[in-house]
Amino acid sequence: MKQKLPIRKIFFLLPVLAGVFIFSRCGNNTSSLKTSNTDSLAFGDTKFLSDGLKGKIYLLAPGTPRLPDFDTLQATDTLYTRSVNVPERSWKSGFPGLPDRFEWFGIEYTGRFNVITPGRYIFRLVSDDGSKLFIDDSLIINNDGLHGAASKTGIVDISDAEHQIKIQYMQGPRWSIALQLFAKPDNGKETIFPGKYFIISSGKGFFLQNLIYFASAIVLVVLLIIVFALRNKKKKIR
């Protein structure tokens, strides 16, 4: 005959399971995205992310010498990513749905972010070919033009308010690509943006996720209180 699990053990397991759920969800909301082994996903995935950057893909005319005005172009597709981290490499597979597009294209990433600790930060933008970094519509780094993998830096004071970020990128002739955005405080260690210094936010989606985490934490606390109350009650009965 199978023995039933005692009620007090069930109550003890509930907060443990709740804790595992909360930490696993927080882990999924980390601000760095592992580079996919699938080369076609180098710049992001078509799967929507509520806590990531939105990248629009544009086709460029062969011979385009510098970044175009993306507002005058029609995007062909949209990608999402939690970080811009494409180290210099050969790239022949093209985008998801655009396998033949491995040269003469542009991407404009946009999103919002908050800083963990306000202060002065140094950004470094690596690209092959041209790229630009804007924060709150101000040009921070201009690394435009047709060139091999090269980096430029920019310094900006970041307050504790929500900020807008925009990264423009173009790939000229085949085959090599590169696009990485790094950031660090004055005396800190450089990491891929957003790293440990920033949190990418996406309005309602970001608020809803944090609301879920907060509610889960409350449930965890309540369950712990119930467990301790039951244990104390049992001790008194003895």
Side-chain angles (χ1 to χ4, degrees):
M1 183 176 180
K2 294 183 179 180
Q3 293 183 347
K4 294 183 179 180
L5 190 65
I7 297 297
R8 61 185 183 86
K9 290 187 176 181
I10 295 177
F11 277 111
F12 177 75
L13 287 174
L14 285 176
V16 174
L17 293 174
V20 171
F21 170 77
I22 293 170
F23 286 112
S24 65
R25 292 299 300 168
C26 289
N28 289 335
N29 194 33
T30 54
S31 55
S32 62
L33 180 68
K34 295 181 180 179
T35 303
S36 173
N37 291 326
T38 305
D39 194 45
S40 62
L41 301 181
F43 290 98
D45 196 352
T46 54
K47 183 179 179 181
F48 174 76
L49 290 174
S50 63
D51 57 343
L53 299 173
K54 178 180 180 180
K56 291 186 176 182
I57 304 173
Y58 300 87
L59 304 185
L60 305 181
T64 301
R66 61 183 59 86
L67 283 162
D69 181 357
F70 288 119
D71 290 336
T72 64
L73 302 179
Q74 183 69 37
T76 60
D77 210 337
T78 302
L79 298 175
Y80 299 90
T81 182
R82 290 191 179 95
S83 69
V84 176
N85 185 17
V86 185
E88 183 181 9
R89 71 175 93 174
S90 174
W91 192 64
K92 303 178 183 179
S93 58
F95 292 101
L98 296 171
D100 297 328
R101 183 55 61 167
F102 43 79
E103 63 178 348
W104 303 116
F105 63 85
I107 304 178
E108 185 175 68
Y109 292 102
T110 57
R112 290 175 286 183
F113 70 91
N114 292 87
V115 65
I116 302 297
T117 304
R120 178 159 294 184
Y121 286 83
I122 301 172
F123 288 83
R124 184 166 68 93
L125 186 60
V126 180
S127 65
D128 174 2
D129 292 284
S131 61
K132 291 181 179 180
L133 169 67
F134 297 84
I135 293 180
D136 296 331
D137 293 325
S138 294
L139 179 61
I140 306 302
I141 300 176
N142 186 346
N143 194 15
D144 202 0
L146 297 179
H147 54 73
S151 68
K152 288 190 176 182
T153 61
I155 301 175
V156 59
D157 292 323
I158 306 293
S159 68
D160 59 0
E162 186 179 67
H163 299 274
Q164 294 181 341
I165 186 170
K166 179 167 61 179
I167 304 160
Q168 295 180 335
Y169 169 73
M170 68 166 288
Q171 162 67 5
R174 64 186 79 185
W175 298 95
S176 182
I177 60 169
L179 181 62
Q180 292 177 293
L181 178 61
F182 298 87
K184 70 170 186 175
D186 271 341
N187 299 316
K189 183 179 179 180
E190 184 181 74
T191 64
I192 289 289
F193 176 89
K196 60 184 178 181
Y197 304 117
F198 305 94
I199 298 174
I200 297 177
S201 60
S202 298
K204 293 181 179 179
F206 179 76
F207 173 78
L208 180 59
Q209 283 187 339
N210 281 275
L211 182 61
I212 293 173
Y213 299 152
F214 181 72
S216 300
I218 292 177
V219 171
L220 175 59
V221 172
V222 171
L223 290 174
L224 286 172
I225 293 174
I226 293 174
V227 169
F228 285 115
L230 290 174
R231 291 182 64 182
N232 292 334
K233 183 177 179 181
K234 186 173 183 179
K235 288 180 180 178
K236 290 180 179 179
I237 294 174
R238 289 180 180 176

